[in-house]
Amino acid sequence: MSERIEKIATDPDWYAPYRISQAIKANGVLYVSGQAGIDEQGKTVPGGFLEQGRQAFENLRKVLAAAGADLTDVVRVGIFVRDMAAHLDELIKLREEFLSEPYPADTLVEVSSLAQPDWLIEVEVTALAR
């Protein structure tokens, strides 16, 4: 692996079995893989969309911390949801709860499915490395 490219992972690394890096640090930028509403054992958290969204953002926070960064370093967000119309207000609430001014650039996408059938949301970010 190049010295300019570094794998970032938490312990435990809940994505290792899937051969996915939780994040890659390259040339001063962090590229964080999509994080879902799963716990450290890879189990989907109960409770529905908002709970899964909060867990996804907490997982992002953990991965960013492993790289020495935090959510204030995020410059771009990609959010993938199974039902945009049903959850747009909750998406806005999640952004307000976890992100701050200046809010990162964002792409919201409705998808027909995610990696696991019970996942309702997945969030990826690009952040500046410290």
Side-chain angles (χ1 to χ4, degrees):
M1 189 178 290
S2 167
E3 290 181 19
R4 297 181 324 189
I5 298 174
E6 176 186 350
K7 177 182 175 178
I8 306 297
T10 62
D11 185 23
D13 181 350
W14 52 85
Y15 279 11
Y18 304 103
R19 306 298 185 251
I20 298 171
S21 294
Q22 288 181 338
I24 292 292
K25 180 178 175 181
N27 298 323
V29 179
L30 294 168
Y31 302 91
V32 182
S33 292
Q35 301 294 313
I38 59 174
D39 61 23
E40 291 181 344
Q41 290 74 42
K43 304 287 185 203
T44 304
V45 297
F49 184 86
L50 201 52
E51 290 77 7
Q52 284 189 29
R54 285 187 174 119
Q55 184 66 49
F57 274 97
E58 288 299 334
N59 291 344
L60 286 169
R61 192 183 313 234
K62 289 176 187 176
V63 175
L64 288 166
D70 61 40
L71 289 168
T72 65
D73 298 306
V74 171
V75 295
R76 190 187 82 55
V77 180
I79 302 176
F80 305 88
V81 299
R82 298 271 307 277
D83 187 343
M84 186 74 67
H87 301 295
L88 184 57
D89 289 341
E90 291 168 300
L91 282 169
I92 294 167
K93 183 175 184 170
L94 287 168
R95 286 182 53 78
E96 182 179 38
E97 189 174 326
F98 289 93
L99 304 170
S100 58
E101 290 281 351
Y103 289 106
D106 196 336
T107 300
L108 300 174
V109 179
E110 181 175 304
V111 296
S112 61
S113 65
L114 292 164
Q116 297 296 322
D118 57 345
W119 290 3
L120 302 174
I121 183 173
E122 188 169 349
V123 185
E124 66 179 13
V125 299
T126 303
L128 299 177
R130 293 185 185 183

